[in-house]
Amino acid sequence: MPIALITGTTAGIGAASAKILAENGYDLILNGRRNDRLEEQSRQLTNQYGIQTKIMHVDIRDHEEVEKYIANLSSEWNSIDLLINNAGLAAGLSSIESGSIDHWNRMIDTNIKGLLHVTKYVTPLLKNTKGHIVNIGSIAGKEVYPNGNVYCGTKHMVDALNKAMRRELAEFGVRVTSINPGAVETEFSVVRLDGNFEKAKKVYNGFENLVAQDIADAIWFAVSRPKHVNINELIIMPSAQPAAGEVIRNKGL
Ligand code: NDP
Ligand code: 8X3
């Protein structure tokens, strides 16, 4: 069975990706900080799809923990075919002058440094299998919008790293893809708005947002192409979101 390591499987896009890969016979290394969710997810996927799962209860911001976890993988688990760099977040929505340093650090440490930590230690394993890296970027890595400043910056970095990885890894037969969504209703806005569920709900009012399954389907499309086909990048938007930060509401779209 092929093996995938997905970061951030306890919610949203990561959880939907874990499900679609399990349906397609992947054994999974499941990552996140909320261990109760990881344990429940592991049980469910194993029972429902008959796959093997392994929990990676590691905060990807901690490079020493990431290194230790990957180095200690047994021979049954270290033959990784697919890495999905999904874990990430937006924190806050404000101008630079009124931005929170704590929010900035969380985004930079997770979206950029966390992704680098996991990629650094998993890449040698992917070279052995001629595997695939899927980086979850964002429309915020292609465009910017007012008050999105640092989040957009981190996702522009993911876009650059995605291109850099492809250039470094093509000669080893490792494919590299980025998937760049617009508004997907997950826990994303609740996290961004510091747990304010009411305000988070309003982000998706008056139009049909994407759901995590839409993105998981796109990931599976990229992953399931034949080996000679590399999907470099996909941008996937709600039909009612023609650009970053611009949504057409209350028109039945
Ligand atoms: P969710 O908040 O629903 O899920 C985020 C996941 O990341 C959770 O499983 C969370 O798990 C995990 N995570 C966060 N920080 C860490 C960490 N330090 N270490 C390990 N895991 C971590 O958001 P989405 O599913 O929407 O987001 C997934 C990715 O998609 C992100 O990179 C996001 O930027 C990107 N994206 C989202 C869009 C959207 O509109 N929703 C659009 C474009 C891109 P836990 O809390 O248990 O650690
Ligand atoms: C999340 C999408 O448009 O909120 O990356 O930045 S957006």
Side-chain angles (χ1 to χ4, degrees), residues 5-16:
L5 189 163
I6 311 170
T7 63
T9 61
T10 58
I13 294 167

Side-chain angles (χ1 to χ4, degrees), residues 8 10 13 33-34 59-60 86 137 151 155 181-182 184 186-187:
T10 58
I13 294 167
R33 294 163 301 173
R34 287 170 287 184
D59 184 329
I60 61 166
N86 163 75
Y151 178 66
K155 289 297 182 175
V184 190
T186 59
E187 294 181 5

Side-chain angles (χ1 to χ4, degrees), residues 137-140 145 151-152 155 181-184 188 192 241 244-245:
S138 170
I139 189 60
Y145 50 89
Y151 178 66
C152 295
K155 289 297 182 175
V184 190
F188 178 84
R192 172 171 240 175
Q241 188 186 6

Side-chain angles (χ1 to χ4, degrees), residues 5 80-86 115-116 118-127 129-136 158 161-162 164-166 168-170 173-179 219 222-223 227 230-233:
L5 189 163
I80 294 176
D81 300 280
L82 172 63
L83 165 63
I84 304 184
N85 279 318
N86 163 75
L115 178 144
L116 282 169
V118 178
T119 306
K120 174 175 170 60
Y121 296 114
V122 175
T123 292
L125 307 179
L126 291 166
K127 283 184 177 175
T129 58
K130 295 190 170 34
H132 195 162
I133 299 176
V134 176
N135 293 306
I136 307 302
V158 173
L161 289 173
N162 184 67
M165 288 178 203
R166 187 174 318 110
E168 289 178 8
L169 294 173
V174 176
R175 296 187 288 170
V176 180
T177 297
S178 77
I179 306 282
I219 293 170
V223 167
K227 278 282 182 198
N230 191 90
I231 304 294
N232 284 5
E233 55 182 38

Side-chain angles (χ1 to χ4, degrees), residues 26 30 84 193 213:
Y26 274 74
L30 304 165
I84 304 184
L193 300 169
Q213 183 66 42

